[in-house]
Structure formats: structure tokens, C-alpha cells
Amino acid sequence: MTAERRVTAQGVVLASLRTDLLTGVLGPGDQIVQESLAERYGVSRVPLREALKTLESEGQVVYFPHRGYFVAELSVADLLEVYRLRGLLEAEAIRHAVPTLSDADVAALAELAALVDEAAADEDVLAMTSANRRFHFALFDAGGLPRLSRLLHQLWDATDAYRALYFQEQVNRDRVGGEHADMLLALRARDAEALVRQHDAHRDHSVGTVRAILERRPPPE
Amino acid sequence: MTAERRVTAQGVVLASLRTDLLTGVLGPGDQIVQESLAERYGVSRVPLREALKTLESEGQVVYFPHRGYFVAELSVADLLEVYRLRGLLEAEAIRHAVPTLSDADVAALAELAALVDEAAADEDVLAMTSANRRFHFALFDAGGLPRLSRLLHQLWDATDAYRALYFQEQVNRDRVGGEHADMLLALRARDAEALVRQHDAHRDHSVGTVRAILERRPPPE
DNA sequence: GCACGGACGATTGGATCCAATCTGGGTGGA
DNA sequence: TCCACCCAGATTGGATCCAATCGTCCGTGC
């Protein structure tokens, strides 16, 4: 997105916040106490607050004036809405991407899928989450629709905290590899519609599991 | 979205920035000098920067570390992408909304459409932009899909600066009233598909004009 | 005449400090 | 016992100050 090579504290803090959200160090519903977090990251509250503003407009945290920031909690309705919107937008991205893919692009995608499998074999949930995301977005980005990619990033971010839980179960990790292999077959055949269907199925499995996780853990208070 | 009744400087500044972007006080490509803007709004740079962060993640301004914020410029490709995404998402919103509309809801929508006509008669471009937005979002919000509404807000925001130009032409102001009337007919008949078609046509007129405006004014440098 | 380099002013990034507000607990009264 | 109120600690919101970086302009050397 904003291609930045220079590092700033807010950028570093934003990255730290994202991994903390992803790994559950900051769990849904938690209040974010600026003072202690800033100290943890070794910066003052100013860059932290700017990073939080970014996360707020992505819906990752919610903000109440004079009360502070809290890690967003997803309701089941939210979850279903996010996945429905992803269905719409990802189909669009795929239909744009497939006709443009060179053989080299497909090979690169296969490579990324292999990285997901590796991480799965190592049972490294964090690496798997990251590799999985790179695989899918390599496909989405290929369509050359940057706004669409941006919206998809937001939607993926919104469920990151829960996706990590999803990959913690062996059965889910195993299934993903096979589904990615199917998608690669459709990719090599340049069959966009088949790919959309497989992608839908892939996503449906995911939403089902995440929903179960969500319903198993009712709101903390 | 974030329902806040308490006022904070950042909130006020954010609203001011939005109207300045809408009215062209801040035009596409302009650098945003924090010191002078903060002085204009009567606050320090801190709340201004937080407001800018919000606008950045909405794509209204772009940020380069150590260089600052600039008002985003829309390329024609951007514009077409935004409108294509709007097409997808607004159709979804309408299909969700129509079955839920009570007669009172439809009456309220008619009332909002009348406000647009009033503003058009007064040739008050700002009021018309605002009323037009309220009319459309009353419809989108009725579907009860808050994430979807949120995404649509972002997409509308992205072209706000140009929409103001659109309403400055008499012929466009005149056409909008008739199109809204058509939409109300479809609404009263609870015909979602007809409404989607009319909405598409409505949007296509808009994109055509805005595109012409955009191509008439090439990038400033 | 032109390319390169350094220094200065302008601007942003971040830290610290103080004011405003919220939350929770305690106290007094009905 | 319960409720209303108030106070104190904790936390956020914002202003000011200083450091880091960028862009420009001028001078120097080739």
C-alpha cells in the first residue's frame, strides 16, 4: 500500500500490535492501556496512539472517547458478514486475476503454497497464517485492482485473531494443503470459475470452524 | 459507526477536514502542512495527526514518512475501480435492504429524496451532496449489514472531492431528482432487482461525468 | 556551464508534561 | 439495606518542546 522504506516508531508499533493481536497477546475484549503498552514497545504514547487509529479504522480495535481503545470482539453476525463480503470481493479479484497470470506467476503461487505446507508440517501456526495470507493475496493482487486488495486486507485483518485459532487444530491444517493443491490445478488450467468455486468451498470450511470457535467462547464479561 | 457523544478535538478536526476535502479547500495533490492547518482549526498538531491517520486508512490522504500527508489524487483507473466495487457492494446492500423495508421506512426515504430536491432547487451544492448521501445510505443501512455500510462509506468518501464538482453542473442536479423518483417507485413496489438496475444506471451517469471532470484536469505538476 | 556537496530553513516525528475525564470505592443519609 | 453523592486514583486527551529528517539553495570545484 503506502510503500515506505523509512522506518518510524508508529510503523514499528503498528507491526508489533498486529502480531500481538494475531498471537492473542491482546485478546478480544481486552482494554488497551496506552501507558503500559507504550512502555512494552519502548516508545511514548504518541506513536502508539497513531497506530491505534489505523487499527481502529480497520475495525481491529474500537475506540470510546475518554475511555480508550479495546480489542474488537467479533459477533457471529459480524463473522458471517465478513465472510459473505469476502465471497463477493474475492470472486471479483479472482476473475480479474486469472486471465492475467503468466506461467511464472502460477509457479510463484505454487511456491507460496509449498511454504504453507512446510509451516503446517512444522506445526508453526504463526508462520502458517502468514504464508497462507501471502498465497491468497498473491492471487488477489494479480488482478491489478489495488482498492479491492485493500478492502480484502481489511476483511482478512478483522478475523485474524480467530484464524490463528483455526490453524491450531491439526485437522484444519491438514485440509488446507489439499485445498490449495486443488486451487493450483484450476489455476494451471486458467479456469477462473472453477477456482472461484473451490475458493468458496475453502472459505466455507474456514467460516464453519471459526464460527464453532466463536460460539464455544462466549463474551468474557 | 463508533457512536460517540463526547466531543474530542480529533473528532472535530476530522469533521473539519472532511468538509474541507469536500468543498475543495483542500484539493487533490495538496500537501497538508500540519502546523498551519492545526492553527486554522485552533488545535495542536497531535489531534490533527490522529485525524489524518484515520483519513489515511480511508485512502482520502496519502502519507509518506518524514514528508507528510498529501490529499489523495484519483486516477481514472482508481475511479473506475471504486465505482465497480460500489456496484458490487451496493447491489448486495439493496438486496438485503428491500425485503426489510416498512412503509414508514419508504416514507422516510421519500422525505430524504425531497430534501435532495430542495437543495437542488436552492443550488446549494454542499447541502445537496450531504442530502444525497443521507438518502442513499438510509437505503444501504436498512439491510442491517454494518461492515458493508462501512466499506461503502469508504468508497463514497474516496470520490467525495469529485462528486462535489459533479453537482456543480445544473444538468446533473436536474437528472438526479428524476432518478431518485424512479428508485422510489421501485421501492414502493419492493422490487429489489429493478432497484438494483436503476441504481446501476444512476451510478453510471455519475461515473461518466466524474470521469470527464477528471480527464479535463490533468495532474497539477 | 554544470555537477556535486554541504549547510540552512522548513517540516515532520516523538517525548514529556499538564489538564480533563472516567471508574471504583467509600461515606453519609433516608 | 440501599441509593445517591463525592472524592481519589487511574487513564486518556491535548499542548508544548526538542530531535530527526527532508528539500532547497548556494557555493565550490571540475
Side-chain angles (χ1 to χ4, degrees), chain A:
Chain A
M1 309 294 99
T2 44
E4 38 209 288
R5 43 191 65 216
R6 297 248 7 99
V7 290
T8 58
Q10 30 176 315
V12 176
V13 166
L14 183 56
S16 306
L17 278 168
R18 284 193 200 283
T19 66
D20 281 352
L21 287 166
L22 190 59
T23 57
V25 174
L26 296 173
D30 288 355
Q31 170 157 22
I32 291 174
V33 181
Q34 299 174 11
E35 188 68 39
S36 34
L37 250 194
E39 190 181 5
R40 220 165 81 75
Y41 297 150
V43 297
S44 85
R45 282 170 49 215
V46 175
L48 172 63
R49 274 162 60 178
E50 291 185 312
L52 285 170
K53 265 283 166 269
T54 302
L55 292 175
E56 187 211 351
S57 49
E58 291 176 2
Q60 294 249 71
V61 302
V62 293
Y63 169 67
F64 303 97
H66 294 112
R67 295 201 30 236
Y69 293 88
F70 297 79
V71 180
E73 289 183 85
L74 223 56
S75 67
V76 172
D78 263 337
L79 177 79
L80 296 179
E81 186 181 351
V82 168
Y83 274 78
R84 166 141 197 87
L85 294 174
R86 275 185 50 188
L88 272 178
L89 296 176
E90 289 174 2
E92 179 75 7
I94 290 172
R95 290 198 180 96
H96 266 79
V98 167
T100 76
L101 291 173
S102 69
D103 289 346
D105 292 332
V106 174
L109 282 164
E111 187 59 38
L112 289 170
L115 287 177
V116 178
D117 290 340
E118 270 180 45
D122 295 347
E123 303 190 356
D124 182 341
V125 174
L126 190 55
M128 189 171 177
T129 309
S130 147
N132 181 62
R133 192 177 174 124
R134 292 225 315 261
F135 169 72
H136 285 279
F137 274 91
L139 177 57
F140 301 151
D141 291 343
L145 297 175
R147 292 254 170 199
L148 178 52
S149 291
R150 185 186 186 122
L151 293 184
L152 284 174
H153 270 288
Q154 283 183 32
L155 292 172
W156 278 62
D157 285 342
T159 55
D160 254 354
Y162 300 92
R163 190 164 22 256
L165 298 175
Y166 171 73
F167 282 131
Q168 259 159 22
E169 301 184 15
Q170 177 79 44
V171 54
N172 294 327
R173 287 201 297 271
D174 292 344
R175 185 174 45 216
V176 165
E179 290 177 344
H180 285 183
D182 290 343
M183 290 174 57
L184 283 172
L185 285 179
L187 267 170
R188 293 207 175 84
R190 299 296 192 282
D191 186 341
E193 292 314 312
L195 186 54
V196 168
R197 279 196 305 276
Q198 281 164 1
H199 209 270
D200 283 345
H202 186 48
R203 191 174 42 245
D204 285 346
H205 288 154
S206 161
V207 70
T209 314
V210 176
R211 178 180 190 159
I213 294 171
L214 212 56
E215 286 172 339
R216 201 178 307 147
R217 51 150 61 189
E221 42 272 286

Side-chain angles (χ1 to χ4, degrees), chain B residues 31-214:
Chain B
Q31 170 158 18
I32 291 173
V33 181
Q34 299 173 12
E35 188 67 41
S36 35
L37 250 194
E39 191 181 5
R40 220 166 82 75
Y41 298 149
V43 297
S44 86
R45 282 171 48 217
V46 175
L48 173 63
R49 275 162 61 179
E50 291 187 310
L52 285 169
K53 264 284 165 267
T54 302
L55 292 175
E56 186 211 353
S57 48
E58 292 175 3
Q60 295 248 71
V61 303
V62 293
Y63 168 68
F64 303 97
H66 293 113
R67 294 197 36 233
Y69 294 88
F70 298 79
V71 180
E73 289 184 85
L74 223 55
S75 67
V76 172
D78 264 335
L79 178 78
L80 295 179
E81 188 181 350
V82 167
Y83 273 79
R84 165 140 198 85
L85 293 174
R86 276 185 50 188
L88 271 177
L89 295 177
E90 289 174 1
E92 179 76 7
I94 289 172
R95 291 198 180 97
H96 266 79
V98 167
T100 76
L101 291 174
S102 68
D103 290 346
D105 292 332
V106 175
L109 281 164
E111 187 58 37
L112 289 170
L115 288 177
V116 177
D117 291 340
E118 269 179 45
D122 296 347
E123 302 190 358
D124 182 342
V125 173
L126 191 55
M128 189 170 178
T129 310
S130 146
N132 181 61
R133 193 177 174 122
R134 292 224 316 261
F135 169 71
H136 285 279
F137 275 90
L139 178 57
F140 301 151
D141 290 343
L145 298 175
R147 292 254 170 198
L148 178 52
S149 291
R150 186 188 186 122
L151 293 183
L152 283 173
H153 270 288
Q154 283 183 33
L155 292 173
W156 278 62
D157 286 341
T159 55
D160 254 354
Y162 300 91
R163 192 169 13 259
L165 299 175
Y166 170 73
F167 283 131
Q168 259 159 21
E169 300 183 17
Q170 176 80 44
V171 54
N172 294 326
R173 287 202 297 272
D174 291 344
R175 185 173 47 216
V176 164
E179 289 177 345
H180 285 182
D182 290 344
M183 290 174 57
L184 283 172
L185 285 180
L187 268 170
R188 291 206 176 84
R190 300 296 192 281
D191 185 342
E193 293 313 311
L195 187 54
V196 168
R197 279 195 306 276
Q198 281 163 2
H199 209 269
D200 284 345
H202 185 47
R203 192 174 42 245
D204 285 346
H205 288 154
S206 161
V207 70
T209 314
V210 175
R211 177 179 189 159
I213 294 172
L214 211 57

